């Protein structure tokens, strides 16, 4: 409901009479069942409220990988994406080998995602290896979830060929689990997420623990990951904490974005975080400290100016 409320608010602002000088800003997010869309909608509202001459709107997309191309081509001004995807795009490695997107710059790391493996009670899926031969959603095509799941499996001696991989977005994954069309599904998203919350109200769900060995294997393979604990009570019926991995989400823009615009957007994030928290609790992690400790690529010059004003310690790799 919060995502709808902010989407409607953004629409209402968009149809209001605008001065001729108003400049449109597109924020590439993800599917409506994840965290990117409501978070992006909240950022759009902050821009509309506090940046004179700018009108922003959150756009539904296929998430991380698609979003990198949208920013690189100039089809979106700002985008949310997982840190590994951002790093691969900037460095031209792995999924972006041979197509380096050198103009990608960070405004901030805003909160960590948690890779959540969900099944229904009674499915007999209790570990990663139990997925072998099963119909499993690995995320929408080109999404950060798909990349994260591939990395997790490969670090633990598995591939998509070992499962019956279904490439579904978050809402489709929840629907397919509810209807018995798949046995398990992955979400890489800031917890709690609406699609799992809704599923847990109609079905008894189980979140699957990753073992210490499985976590260590993927941390060694992908340094931008970190061990992460999903707290007890996060979803209905979740009585115990669940061990998994997390990865930062990064707000990115093109290096060609005006420095003042990048500065103002970055400043809005950290000076009006309370409004973002009202939209989604993931924004509790939107802090300057988290951002400078988690961002794997250089900051935009405008964002860098803000961090330096705040006295943050910026590493050399985060400078252009």
């Amino acid at each position: 409901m919060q995502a709808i409320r902010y989407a409607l608010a953004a629409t209402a602002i968009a149809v209001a009479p605008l001065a001729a000088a108003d400049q449109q800003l597109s924020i590439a997010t993800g599917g409506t069942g994840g965290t990117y869309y409501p978070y992006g909608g909240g950022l759009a509202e902050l821009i509309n409220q506090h940046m004179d001459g700018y009108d922003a709107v959150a756009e539904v997309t296929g998430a991380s990988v698609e979003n990198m191309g949208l920013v690189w081509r100039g089809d979106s001004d700002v985008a949310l994406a997982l840190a590994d995807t951002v790093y691969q795009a900037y460095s031209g490695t792995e999924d972006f080998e041979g197509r380096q997107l050198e103009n990608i710059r960070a405004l901030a790391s805003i909160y960590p995602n948690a890779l959540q493996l969900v099944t229904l009670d009674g499915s007999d899926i209790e570990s990663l290896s139990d997925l072998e031969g099963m119909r499993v959603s690995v995320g929408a095509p080109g999404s950060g979830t798909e990349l994260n799941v591939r990395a997790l499996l490969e670090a633990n001696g598995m591939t998509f060929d070992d499962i019956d991989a279904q490439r579904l977005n978050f809402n489709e994954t929840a629907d397919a689990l509810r209807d018995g069309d798949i046995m398990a599904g992955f979400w890489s998203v800031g917890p709690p997420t609406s699609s799992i919350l809704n599923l847990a109200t109609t079905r008894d769900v189980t979140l699957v623990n990753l073992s210490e060995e499985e976590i260590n294997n993927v941390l060694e393979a992908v340094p931008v990951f970190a061990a992460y604990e999903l707290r007890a009570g996060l979803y209905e019926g979740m009585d115990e904490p669940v061990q998994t991995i997390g990865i930062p989400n990064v707000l990115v823009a093109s290096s060609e974005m005006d420095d003042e615009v990048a500065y103002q957007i970055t400043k809005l994030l950290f000076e009006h975080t309370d409004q973002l928290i009202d939209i989604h609790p993931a924004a509790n992690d939107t802090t300057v400290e988290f951002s400078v400790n988690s961002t794997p690529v250089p900051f935009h010059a405008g964002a860098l100016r803000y961090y330096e004003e705040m006295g943050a310690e910026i590493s050399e790799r985060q400078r252009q």
Side-chain angles (χ1 to χ4, degrees):
M1 289 301 294
Q2 288 172 323
I4 295 172
R5 174 165 60 87
Y6 279 92
L8 291 174
T11 302
I13 293 170
V15 299
L18 298 175
D22 277 3
Q23 181 174 329
Q24 296 285 325
L25 290 176
S26 168
I27 302 173
T29 63
T32 57
T35 303
Y36 282 5
Y37 183 69
Y39 195 109
L43 177 59
E45 184 159 328
L46 289 182
I47 291 170
N48 293 335
Q49 288 177 350
H50 301 288
M51 286 180 63
D52 291 341
Y54 289 90
D55 177 54
V57 63
E59 305 283 357
V60 175
T61 72
S64 295
V65 175
E66 179 183 346
N67 289 354
M68 292 299 92
L70 290 171
V71 168
W72 177 69
R73 293 190 301 271
D75 293 333
S76 293
D77 300 287
V78 180
L80 291 87
L82 284 165
D84 58 343
T85 307
V86 174
Y87 179 78
Q88 290 171 21
Y90 174 77
S91 60
T93 55
E94 298 189 36
D95 276 29
F96 290 86
E97 186 173 356
R99 53 189 184 111
Q100 183 178 9
L101 310 184
E102 296 179 346
N103 67 340
I104 294 296
R105 295 292 184 275
L107 298 180
S109 286
I110 51 178
Y111 66 87
N113 262 21
L115 190 60
Q116 299 162 73
L117 173 55
V118 182
T119 187
L120 299 185
D121 284 1
S123 71
D124 294 329
I125 295 175
E126 298 179 352
S127 68
L128 195 64
S129 60
D130 290 337
L131 298 178
E132 188 168 353
M134 299 286 189
R135 286 174 62 87
V136 180
S137 173
V138 298
S143 67
T145 297
E146 184 184 31
L147 289 183
N148 291 172
V149 175
R150 180 185 294 125
L152 173 65
L153 293 177
E154 291 180 352
N156 287 284
M158 299 174 67
T159 71
F160 284 161
D161 291 337
D162 294 313
I163 61 177
D164 186 356
Q166 306 296 304
R167 288 169 172 81
L168 308 175
N169 66 30
F170 293 151
N171 287 331
E172 290 169 342
T173 299
D175 290 343
L177 267 173
R178 185 194 64 226
D179 297 339
D181 294 331
I182 59 175
M183 294 299 293
F186 283 95
W187 277 256
S188 184
V189 64
T193 187
S194 61
S195 45
I196 301 178
L197 285 168
N198 292 337
L199 175 64
T201 64
T202 59
R203 294 289 188 275
D204 293 331
V205 302
T206 296
L207 277 82
V208 179
N209 277 286
L210 298 181
S211 70
E212 183 177 355
E213 180 181 2
E214 289 165 347
I215 290 172
N216 289 336
N217 286 343
V218 73
L219 297 190
E220 183 176 347
V222 187
V224 294
F225 282 120
Y228 190 90
E229 182 177 271
L230 298 163
R231 60 175 174 82
L234 187 66
Y235 301 107
E236 188 171 334
M238 185 177 165
D239 298 327
E240 301 290 337
V242 170
Q243 305 306 315
T244 185
I245 52 175
I247 186 169
N249 290 282
V250 186
L251 190 68
V252 303
S254 169
S255 58
E256 299 168 14
M257 173 179 276
D258 180 81
D259 287 0
E260 181 63 22
V261 173
Y263 171 82
Q264 292 295 337
I265 293 174
T266 307
K267 186 176 181 180
L268 283 176
L269 275 176
F270 299 112
E271 295 192 355
H272 297 277
T273 313
D274 56 333
Q275 290 181 243
L276 295 173
I277 293 171
D278 287 342
I279 298 166
H280 199 288
N284 280 289
D285 288 309
T286 301
T287 65
V288 169
E289 181 181 13
F290 176 74
S291 184
V292 298
N293 288 340
S294 305
T295 301
V297 301
F299 287 115
H300 190 287
L304 190 61
R305 173 185 151 202
Y306 177 80
Y307 293 120
E308 289 176 338
E309 287 180 357
M310 295 297 101
E313 293 186 15
I314 308 297
S315 67
E316 285 305 311
R317 66 181 175 82
Q318 293 172 327
R319 298 179 183 275
Q320 292 178 300

